[in-house]
């Protein structure tokens, strides 16, 4: 790999993170549709953090050079890993918001289940995020019983 391969990797990660933040922001529509207003601050905050990190990387790692084949593979691996880390932010923040139960947010009792409690663990949140991003958690055979 080249002498400054990490700059190219950072540029690729920044590009993906800024776009992924827009995808995360679309969850606001889902929260509004399902009257899950307690999730709005967490979702918006997560999207802003991811966008900010992406913009900071873009500003720091802006280059027009070519990336070697090894750099492309490295970029792909780092992008998957970092995107899954970014995707775990809404899981963590919503689970902890429900656990803290701030008075300013109306949190219905129906959302205090074991699934949401599991997302308080960063490992569980990261696993679920990676599963969602890669599609590995999808059931491919709907007829299987």
């Amino acid at each position: 790999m080249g002498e400054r391969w990490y700059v190219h990797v950072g540029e690729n990660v920044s590009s993906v993170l800024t776009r992924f933040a827009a995808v995360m922001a679309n969850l606001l529509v889902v929260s509004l549709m399902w009257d899950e207003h307690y999730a709005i601050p967490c979702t918006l905050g997560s999207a802003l953090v991811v966008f900010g990190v992406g913009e900071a990387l873009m500003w720091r790692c802006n280059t027009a050079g070519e990336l070697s084949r090894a750099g492309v593979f490295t970029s792909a691996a780092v992008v998957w890993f970092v995107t899954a880390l970014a995707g775990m932010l809404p899981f963590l923040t919503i689970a902890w918001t429900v656990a803290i139960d701030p008075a300013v947010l109306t949190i219905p009792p129906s959302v205090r289940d074991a699934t949401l409690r599991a997302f308080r663990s960063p490992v569980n949140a990261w696993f679920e995020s990676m599963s969602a991003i890669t599609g590995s958690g999808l059931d491919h055979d709907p007829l299987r019983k």
Side-chain angles (χ1 to χ4, degrees):
M1 283 199 279
E3 186 177 317
R4 293 179 38 96
W5 62 271
Y6 53 89
V7 175
H8 296 287
V9 172
E11 184 178 28
N12 290 333
V13 169
S14 72
S15 178
V16 169
L17 285 181
T18 53
R19 287 167 176 81
F20 188 62
V23 172
M24 289 173 71
N26 284 324
L27 294 174
L28 293 170
V29 175
V30 175
S31 295
L32 289 171
M33 286 175 48
W34 289 95
D35 290 328
E36 295 176 340
H37 302 287
Y38 61 89
I40 292 173
C42 303
T43 304
L44 183 60
S46 298
L48 288 174
V49 166
V50 171
F51 183 77
V53 169
E55 282 294 312
L57 275 173
M58 191 171 293
W59 177 77
R60 181 74 176 106
C61 299
N62 195 8
T63 180
E66 281 293 314
L67 190 57
S68 68
R69 183 177 297 192
V72 170
F73 289 127
T74 303
S75 286
V78 171
V79 161
W80 279 110
F81 183 77
V82 170
T83 304
L85 284 176
M88 76 182 222
L89 286 176
F91 287 112
L92 279 173
T93 56
I94 292 171
W96 279 104
T97 298
V98 168
I100 294 169
D101 194 9
V104 296
L105 297 174
T106 306
I107 299 174
S110 61
V111 299
R112 291 179 179 86
D113 64 353
T115 303
L116 195 56
R117 281 194 302 273
F119 293 140
R120 289 186 217 158
S121 163
V123 173
N124 289 340
W126 182 78
F127 180 83
E128 190 64 29
S129 173
M130 182 63 84
S131 173
I133 291 168
T134 62
S136 59
L138 297 175
D139 184 5
H140 297 291
D141 186 3
L143 300 176
R144 184 177 56 198
K145 294 183 182 183

